[in-house]
């Protein structure tokens, strides 16, 4: 079936879809309104932006001013620090550094001392016999130095020569000892001498004792003689030890163990009873090292290891020191030496396992050799007898100690101690004028 379409039909439909025509005046009015609205909007936006910009611009000077002030302050601070470092007195800077270093050393020493005191207390509690008869539970007496004078049963006259010279005694006591007057007067002056020793301990912290053990037959004649002398002078430190020349290493070990259990001292010293000592010079010398916790002071030497039997100072264990002709390691000569509290405590703690060689100075050196210890070679501790120490004294270099190397002490010390004291002594008032 065919459908006939009229050619006029599309035009009719397109006319139906068209709207009415818009008048020209309406278009013109619409354009004008749009222009006015855009102008108004743009004006308000620009005004607001302009206002914000003005506010921000107004803040810029204040910000710049603040930054300038901060920069100026920083510059001044830098300049101040620079002046301190560049223009400041070197003494002030070094003084502060020294104070800080001293404070650190002092703290390190205190910590080390506390650790050692704890270790010693534990050792004494575990084995109280190791520190001798007098060690017991009590508060330790504070001291600067404990001086142990090594002596023997046969050395009564040597002890008297020491008491009459460098060991503080009453002046009247010395005169009475010389002219021997009435017994009762002598006893009263001996008491005065004992009071002087106590005063020395209380005011200067200097403790002096003759160090001795007991005989092979306890309670025998020798022990009773020492008992009587101790009752007279009260200047002994008695050890739980059998006296004997070949037991000096054992005696030395026990002396330090006992001393550290009785006195809380900064230094512990051993000296022989035939050596002259200037107490004031000694204390002044030791005071230089009081900030160091582990110090070993004496006349350091390195003598030959003697392997030949029968000679003095023979070393039975010479093979331990290498081939024949070798020398010992550096150690202080046995006539006089001092160690700090930490080292004395170390000896006390480890006493049972510290090996003893034939010579006590070698033994002590061996005990300290493998430790972090500062060795101080102080040659003023080994001056010769007059004229050596006399010349040095006249030059203002007073010796700490004097003796003769050939005799390992003052030769004929009983007869010569007073002469050495008169020629090389620092004066009886020196020790009392030392300020610790």
């Amino acid at each position: 079936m065919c459908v006939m379409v009229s050619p006029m039909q599309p035009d009719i439909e397109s006319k139906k879809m068209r709207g009415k025509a818009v008048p020209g005046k309406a278009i013109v009015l619409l354009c004008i309104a749009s222009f006015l609205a855009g102008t108004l909007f743009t004006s308000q936006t620009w005004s607001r932006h302009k206002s914000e910009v003005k506010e921000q611009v107004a803040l810029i000077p204040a910000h710049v001013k603040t930054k300038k002030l901060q920069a100026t302050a920083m510059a001044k601070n830098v300049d101040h620090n620079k002046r301190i470092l560049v223009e400041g007195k070197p003494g002030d800077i070094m003084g502060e550094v020294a104070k800080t270093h001293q404070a650190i050393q002092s703290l390190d020493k205190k910590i080390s001392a506390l650790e050692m005191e704890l270790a010693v207390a534990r050792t004494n509690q575990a084995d109280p016999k190791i520190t001798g008869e007098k060690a017991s539970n009590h508060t330790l007496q504070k001291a600067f130095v404990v001086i142990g004078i090594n002596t023997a049963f046969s050395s009564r006259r040597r002890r008297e020569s020491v008491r009459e010279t460098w060991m503080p005694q009453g002046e009247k006591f010395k005169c009475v000892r010389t002219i021997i007057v009435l017994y009762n007067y002598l006893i009263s002056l001996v008491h005065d001498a004992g009071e002087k020793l106590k005063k020395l301990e209380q005011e200067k912290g200097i403790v002096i004792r003759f160090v001795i053990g007991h005989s092979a037959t306890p309670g025998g004649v020798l022990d009773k003689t020492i008992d009587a002398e101790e009752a007279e002078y009260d200047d002994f430190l008695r050890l739980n030890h059998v006296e004997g020349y070949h037991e000096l290493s054992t005696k030395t070990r026990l002396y330090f163990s006992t001393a550290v259990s009785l006195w809380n001292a900064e230094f512990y010293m051993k000296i022989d009873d035939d050596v002259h000592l200037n107490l004031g010079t000694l204390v002044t010398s030791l005071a230089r090292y009081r900030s160091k916790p582990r110090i070993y002071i004496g006349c350091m030497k390195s003598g030959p290891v003697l392997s030949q039997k029968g000679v003095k100072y023979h070393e039975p264990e010479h093979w331990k020191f290498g081939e024949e002709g070798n020398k010992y390691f550096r150690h202080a000569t046995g006539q006089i030496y001092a160690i700090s509290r930490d080292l004395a405590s170390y000896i006390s703690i480890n006493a049972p396992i510290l090996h003893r060689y034939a010579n006590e100075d070698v033994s002590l050196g061996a005990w300290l050799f493998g430790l972090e210890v500062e060795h101080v070679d102080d040659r003023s501790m080994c001056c010769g007898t007059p004229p050596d120490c006399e010349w040095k004294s006249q030059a203002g270099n007073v010796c700490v100690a004097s003796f003769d190397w050939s005799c390992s002490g003052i030769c004929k010390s009983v007869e010569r101690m007073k002469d050495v004291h008169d020629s090389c002594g620092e004066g009886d008032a020196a020790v009392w004028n030392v300020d610790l």
Side-chain angles (χ1 to χ4, degrees):
M1 179 177 177
C2 294
V3 178
M4 298 295 294
V5 179
S6 172
M8 298 296 294
Q9 188 174 353
D11 293 334
I12 295 172
E13 291 181 357
S14 62
K15 286 181 180 180
K16 288 181 180 179
M17 294 175 63
R18 293 175 185 170
K20 295 181 179 181
V22 179
K25 292 182 178 180
I27 294 173
V28 173
L29 291 174
L30 181 61
C31 290
I32 292 172
S34 298
F35 174 75
L36 292 175
T39 301
L40 180 61
F41 176 78
T42 302
S43 177
Q44 290 179 349
T45 302
W46 173 253
S47 297
R48 186 168 60 254
H49 177 70
K50 187 176 181 180
S51 176
E52 292 175 355
V53 169
K54 284 182 178 180
E55 290 177 358
Q56 293 177 358
V57 170
L59 292 174
I60 290 175
H63 181 69
V64 171
K65 185 177 181 180
T66 302
K67 291 298 182 183
K68 284 184 177 180
L69 290 174
Q70 292 177 351
T72 302
M74 291 177 64
K76 288 182 178 179
N77 187 44
V78 171
D79 185 59
H80 176 68
N81 292 338
K82 187 176 180 181
R83 283 201 303 273
I84 290 176
L85 292 174
V86 177
E87 301 176 4
K89 295 180 180 179
D92 296 339
I93 299 172
M94 295 307 296
E96 292 299 319
V97 173
K99 287 179 182 178
T100 303
H101 183 63
Q102 289 175 359
I104 293 173
Q105 281 189 327
S106 177
L107 181 60
D108 178 60
K109 185 174 181 180
K110 287 180 180 178
I111 292 173
S112 182
L114 289 172
E115 290 175 343
M116 283 296 180
E117 285 180 14
L118 179 60
V120 171
R122 286 174 175 169
T123 302
N124 292 345
Q125 188 177 24
D127 189 4
K129 292 182 180 180
I130 203 170
T131 54
E133 295 175 349
K134 287 192 175 182
S136 59
N137 294 326
H138 65 285
T139 303
L140 296 184
Q141 178 183 335
K142 293 283 288 185
F144 175 71
V145 59
V146 175
I147 302 173
I149 307 173
N150 189 41
T151 192
F153 290 110
S154 59
S155 299
R156 171 69 185 252
R157 293 184 64 198
R158 282 188 179 183
R159 292 190 290 274
E160 295 293 359
S161 69
V162 169
R163 292 186 181 112
E164 293 172 3
T165 53
W166 62 263
M167 190 173 179
Q169 303 287 338
E171 290 300 321
K172 294 179 181 179
F173 169 71
K174 296 178 184 178
C175 296
V176 172
R177 293 294 298 178
T178 304
I179 64 177
I180 311 179
V181 296
L182 298 175
Y183 176 78
N184 290 336
Y185 190 47
L186 175 62
I187 293 299
S188 66
L189 294 175
V190 169
H191 176 72
D192 176 60
E195 288 299 320
K196 208 154 194 178
L197 279 181
K198 291 181 181 178
K199 183 180 179 183
L200 190 68
E201 294 180 19
Q202 294 169 357
E203 295 186 7
K204 298 299 180 180
I206 303 173
V207 178
I208 306 176
R209 296 288 188 275
F210 288 104
V211 181
I212 196 168
H214 56 78
S215 65
T217 55
V221 176
L222 294 177
D223 292 311
K224 288 180 180 179
T225 301
I226 294 297
D227 292 340
E229 190 177 346
E230 182 176 15
E232 183 178 355
Y233 294 101
D234 193 25
D235 56 5
F236 281 89
L237 174 61
R238 306 292 293 274
L239 303 178
N240 185 14
H241 165 73
V242 178
E243 285 291 323
Y245 179 78
H246 297 292
E247 297 297 327
L248 288 178
S249 292
T250 302
K251 184 177 181 179
T252 299
R253 187 182 67 179
L254 191 54
Y255 158 63
F256 285 117
S257 298
T258 304
V260 84
S261 72
L262 296 174
W263 292 281
N264 179 17
E266 296 186 50
F267 298 96
Y268 298 83
M269 194 183 93
K270 176 260 179 181
I271 184 172
D272 289 340
D273 60 8
D274 56 353
V275 173
H276 181 266
L277 180 67
N278 281 318
L279 284 171
T281 307
L282 168 71
V283 171
T284 302
S285 179
L286 293 178
R288 296 199 298 265
Y289 307 104
R290 66 193 312 177
S291 64
K292 302 188 181 239
R294 292 172 297 279
I295 201 85
Y296 175 31
I297 308 170
C299 291
M300 299 296 164
K301 66 174 184 177
S302 179
V305 181
L306 302 178
S307 59
Q308 185 179 354
K309 291 183 179 181
V311 300
K312 193 175 183 181
Y313 307 127
H314 165 63
E315 179 58 72
E317 298 180 87
H318 57 87
W319 62 274
K320 288 186 177 179
F321 298 93
E323 300 301 323
E324 185 175 348
N326 278 2
K327 292 185 176 181
Y328 289 112
F329 41 78
R330 288 283 171 184
H331 61 280
T333 185
Q335 285 85 351
I336 177 175
Y337 49 77
I339 60 177
S340 57
R341 176 173 175 77
D342 276 15
L343 300 184
S345 299
Y346 171 82
I347 293 172
S348 175
I349 294 166
N350 298 284
I353 59 172
L354 294 179
H355 186 70
R356 293 155 292 169
Y357 291 100
N359 302 299
E360 55 98 6
D361 53 350
V362 173
S363 294
L364 181 70
W367 301 337
L368 306 181
F369 188 72
L371 307 180
E372 195 64 40
V373 173
E374 181 175 347
H375 289 56
V376 177
D377 185 16
D378 187 348
R379 307 314 291 183
S380 71
M381 284 187 168
C382 50
C383 295
T385 56
D388 180 44
C389 60
E390 187 175 16
W391 291 341
K392 291 177 181 177
S393 179
Q394 292 173 355
N397 301 317
V398 180
C399 294
V400 172
S402 300
F403 59 89
D404 300 307
W405 283 103
S406 59
C407 298
S408 298
I410 296 176
C411 298
K412 299 181 179 180
S413 64
V414 173
E415 293 81 11
R416 296 183 59 227
M417 182 69 79
K418 189 177 186 307
D419 292 336
V420 174
H421 183 68
D422 292 341
S423 300
C424 305
E426 62 191 354
D428 295 338
V431 68
W432 302 103
N433 295 328
V434 173
D435 185 12
L436 291 174

